[in-house]
Amino acid sequence: RSKSEHALRVELRRSEERRRDLEAELDRARGLKLKPPSAGDGGGGGADAARVKIVETQYEQFRKEMASRLEDKNAKLHALEDENNKLKRAAMQTRGGTSAELERVKSKAAAEASVANEKVEGFARERSALKTILESKIATLVEGIARSVKEMPEEARRHPRLTREVNALDRLVHATVQAMES
């Protein structure tokens, strides 16, 4: 709105300046002393009178054009002001509804946050239980398997895959427990 209003004011100022310039030129033309045509000057006084008449006609046309433009600009300005007032009224009316809507959204968000917190607490308990199971049961089983493999006859321990996989399982269980601690 302010850009349009500013543009209208600038154009109005320019039109006023142009009007003042034409009025000054008209005043200068009226101030010329019209001499009656004489034989020696070839009718110069008539040329001045014609010039004054032309300037007066131009000024009158310009004045009518500027009046028309001014009316158009004023109509646009009033339309923009009316639209602005309508928008302000609409904004004021929706503020009441917006507050209720905001409260409803806040309430819904608080309920969702509560549900999310309950889930997080549940996941934390599950994580703690899994960590305990890994530490006390699975790690113990893997260590028992590793001892059993070491107690096996040399011929059975020669199988490279068995020892390697037991060691990998032991490292995996310990790494999982450490990851669950952090």
Side-chain angles (χ1 to χ4, degrees), residues 26-35 47-49 51-52:
L26 182 61
D27 287 343
R28 281 193 305 273
R30 285 182 179 153
L32 291 176
K33 295 195 179 192
L34 300 178
K35 298 184 269 178
D48 288 340
R51 183 161 183 235
V52 168

Side-chain angles (χ1 to χ4, degrees), residues 80-116:
L80 289 171
E81 287 173 346
D82 290 344
E83 181 182 356
N84 187 29
N85 290 332
K86 286 178 187 175
L87 291 172
K88 283 181 182 177
R89 283 192 300 274
M92 295 288 261
Q93 289 172 352
T94 59
R95 279 195 183 136
T98 302
S99 294
E101 181 71 17
L102 183 60
E103 288 303 317
R104 187 184 66 77
V105 169
K106 281 182 182 179
S107 174
K108 184 178 177 183
E112 289 174 357
S114 175
V115 169

Side-chain angles (χ1 to χ4, degrees), residues 57-74:
T57 304
Q58 287 176 343
Y59 173 73
E60 193 60 35
Q61 288 173 345
F62 175 77
R63 195 177 61 73
K64 287 178 184 176
E65 183 181 334
M66 287 301 112
S68 173
R69 282 187 183 179
L70 184 59
E71 287 175 19
D72 291 345
K73 299 300 177 186
N74 282 336

Side-chain angles (χ1 to χ4, degrees), residues 1-13:
R1 175 185 172 275
S2 63
K3 287 184 181 180
S4 300
E5 194 173 298
H6 177 70
L8 289 172
R9 291 179 195 272
V10 168
E11 189 169 336
L12 180 63
R13 193 176 330 116

Side-chain angles (χ1 to χ4, degrees), residues 98-167:
T98 302
S99 294
E101 181 71 17
L102 183 60
E103 288 303 317
R104 187 184 66 77
V105 169
K106 281 182 182 179
S107 174
K108 184 178 177 183
E112 289 174 357
S114 175
V115 169
N117 283 336
E118 289 175 14
K119 285 183 179 180
V120 166
E121 289 172 4
F123 292 149
R125 286 189 300 272
E126 287 178 14
R127 182 180 182 153
S128 176
L130 286 173
K131 180 180 172 263
T132 302
I133 292 169
L134 280 171
E135 283 178 325
S136 63
K137 302 291 182 184
I138 297 177
T140 305
L141 286 173
V142 171
E143 288 171 3
I145 293 170
R147 276 193 309 271
S148 295
V149 168
K150 287 181 183 178
E151 293 172 2
M152 290 173 70
E154 182 66 33
E155 189 175 296
R157 283 189 288 158
R158 282 191 198 156
H159 197 282
R161 193 169 174 195
L162 179 62
T163 305
R164 189 176 64 231
E165 287 183 0
V166 169
N167 289 335

